[in-house]
Amino acid sequence: MASEDDDKPRKKITHEIGQDLSLLSVEDLTERIALMNSEIERLQQAAAKKRASKDAANSFFKS
């Protein structure tokens, strides 16, 4: 029976800010921390790109 469970696709990890964490296992919490850390990194990279574009435009129009 365990092999049948292994064949099923695993549910995608999602996290809702402020949700109840009491029902999550340590493994679930660790996975969510990794998910959130990767999302923070993605947001920081997007912000850096936008900041660089804005700075380049500001520098071009100030000349």
Side-chain angles (χ1 to χ4, degrees):
M1 294 266 174
S3 65
E4 289 177 11
D5 291 339
D6 293 342
D7 294 338
K8 292 180 184 178
R10 190 159 186 215
K11 186 177 177 183
K12 184 177 179 183
I13 301 169
T14 58
H15 184 76
E16 184 179 324
I17 304 298
Q19 79 179 82
D20 182 14
L21 303 177
S22 64
L23 299 177
L24 299 175
S25 68
V26 172
E27 181 181 283
D28 289 339
L29 291 168
T30 302
E31 288 175 356
R32 289 170 190 238
I33 290 168
L35 174 71
M36 299 298 282
N37 282 333
S38 65
E39 184 65 6
I40 289 168
E41 185 176 324
R42 189 177 75 90
L43 289 165
Q44 289 172 332
Q45 289 172 356
K49 285 180 185 177
K50 287 185 180 267
R51 200 173 298 114
S53 293
K54 182 179 176 186
D55 291 347
N58 285 341
S59 130
F60 176 78
F61 289 110
K62 285 183 182 180
S63 298

